[in-house]
Amino acid sequence: EVRRVFDVIAGRFARATVLVETMNPLVAKRFKEKSIEGSHAKFTWGVKGGAALAALLPDFRFVEQHSLIEGMAVFAPVYKVLGKISAVRNISNKIIVLERA
């Protein structure tokens, strides 16, 4: 399904920058996201990072990724401390930037 979405984007746009929120595979099947509860959608798949996602998408190039921990540090200083723990950074949701050039 993920490839299908990116195939549609690649088929419609010669150039595109796509930002994708991803979830670690260990968390994806065990986590309930409140923001999508109303749609009854489920996370069934996760990816460890941007390079792993880009490897599945030959028309796209990995540009960068940011842990949501980084963004949350602006709102709650405790996230600055949590962001220093590699295990927390690794399982945190990420915003991945991909480009089709």
Side-chain angles (χ1 to χ4, degrees):
E1 291 176 6
V2 171
R3 282 192 203 128
R4 218 174 340 167
V5 169
F6 278 88
D7 285 346
V8 169
I9 294 169
R12 295 201 176 149
F13 300 98
R15 295 179 53 104
T17 301
V18 182
L19 282 71
V20 181
E21 182 178 357
T22 63
M23 186 176 282
N24 184 289
L26 297 173
V27 179
K29 293 182 181 177
R30 295 172 182 85
F31 185 75
K32 284 192 169 187
E33 175 61 50
K34 292 186 183 239
S35 67
I36 63 168
E37 264 181 10
S39 69
H40 302 290
K42 292 182 195 175
F43 288 105
T44 58
W45 180 82
V47 65
K48 288 187 178 182
L53 180 59
L56 300 173
L57 308 167
D59 292 329
F60 290 83
R61 167 180 82 78
F62 170 65
V63 176
E64 63 184 337
Q65 72 182 15
H66 298 278
S67 167
L68 289 183
I69 296 285
E70 294 172 42
M72 291 304 293
V74 173
F75 301 107
V78 70
Y79 284 99
K80 287 181 184 177
V81 175
L82 291 173
K84 294 180 189 290
I85 303 169
S86 64
V88 172
R89 264 194 332 270
N90 289 340
I91 65 168
S92 171
N93 287 22
K94 293 176 180 48
I95 301 296
I96 296 172
V97 181
L98 301 167
E99 282 186 348
R100 180 168 198 276

